[in-house]
Amino acid sequence: RCVEHDRGFGEWDKKHTVPGGSKALAWPAYNERIHPPTGEYRPAYICHVRDNIKYSTKKMWPVAQFVRGLSVDEAIKQLSFLNIKGAAIAKEVIEEAVELAVKEHNVEFRSNLWVAESFAGKAQVIKGYRRHARARFGKVEYKYMHYFVKLEEGPPPKEYSDKEKFIPSEMLERWLQEHRQKTIPRL
């Protein structure tokens, strides 16, 4: 049986409520994490979230995907040209994260940050009804979401996406090798 207690590993182990937020989330607690000194270079990172936004995660997903791997300045510039609500939300959250990085996490240059992670999570869904003609009703869902962003210090990588490069000759060669190694079992 799991018992809630106030002891834990530290501040990074507890859920935090961001200023202006209403729900305690584990994502901002990553900012409190202290890594052991191993001697290897670890870039500074900042995790930020805005919770309970009146917007759908399905609509936010392309916007979140769009800014991943971009520098902060480029992401803000690109989002200012998108004329959808999700872009305005992402732009505000990234700007808040940059301010947080400079003020609280000792990041020296605000332009030396890039968007390492950007995604939306489902929050509460409030169900309601809408009246129609002839005493009929339709179900309405008011969807809310949380938007999470993680900024890392340093220049953005040249190839951020983990997809393979589209080189047809190499893909064909690999496909042929895989199929030539197949064996047909004898029955």
Side-chain angles (χ1 to χ4, degrees):
R1 194 176 113 146
C2 183
V3 179
E4 290 282 331
H5 54 81
D6 59 351
R7 295 184 305 263
F9 293 110
E11 285 298 310
W12 62 268
D13 191 34
K14 297 177 183 137
K15 293 184 175 183
H16 291 275
T17 305
V18 293
S22 60
K23 186 175 180 185
L25 297 165
W27 185 255
Y30 284 109
N31 292 331
E32 307 297 328
R33 185 161 289 182
I34 299 172
H35 298 281
T38 58
E40 62 187 40
Y41 173 71
R42 180 180 291 114
Y45 63 86
I46 297 88
C47 299
H48 189 58
V49 62
R50 183 181 289 178
D51 61 341
N52 293 326
I53 304 167
K54 177 70 180 77
Y55 201 60
S56 170
T57 53
K58 288 184 179 181
K59 293 179 189 173
M60 190 66 181
W61 185 82
V63 176
Q65 185 84 10
F66 176 64
V67 296
R68 279 185 214 158
L70 296 177
S71 69
V72 170
D73 296 334
E74 184 67 23
I76 290 171
K77 187 172 23 169
Q78 293 293 331
L79 288 171
S80 62
F81 288 110
L82 288 177
N83 193 18
I84 51 177
K85 183 179 174 183
I89 292 166
K91 181 181 170 187
E92 289 172 8
V93 175
I94 291 172
E95 287 171 347
E96 287 173 10
V98 169
E99 289 299 318
L100 186 75
V102 172
K103 287 183 180 173
E104 294 184 18
H105 296 281
N106 299 326
V107 172
E108 191 173 357
F109 302 110
R110 62 187 321 124
S111 60
N112 193 24
L113 292 166
W114 64 282
V115 182
E117 293 181 41
S118 168
F119 59 94
K122 245 176 143 177
Q124 63 182 351
V125 177
I126 298 173
K127 294 177 180 163
Y129 291 98
R130 180 172 288 154
R131 290 181 300 165
H132 293 296
R134 300 184 183 217
R136 294 172 193 257
F137 287 90
K139 189 173 78 170
V140 180
E141 291 181 339
Y142 300 100
K143 297 179 180 177
Y144 289 81
M145 62 142 202
H146 308 308
Y147 179 62
F148 303 89
V149 69
K150 177 182 177 183
L151 305 180
E152 276 190 19
E153 195 173 23
K158 289 186 176 33
E159 293 291 328
Y160 176 75
S161 64
D162 53 354
K163 295 179 183 175
E164 62 179 327
K165 289 187 177 178
F166 185 74
I167 303 173
S169 59
E170 289 180 11
M171 293 170 80
L172 175 65
E173 191 63 38
R174 191 178 68 245
W175 185 85
L176 285 171
Q177 286 294 349
E178 288 172 4
H179 286 279
R180 284 179 180 151
Q181 292 174 356
K182 288 183 180 178
T183 58
I184 301 172
R186 294 183 183 235
L187 299 175

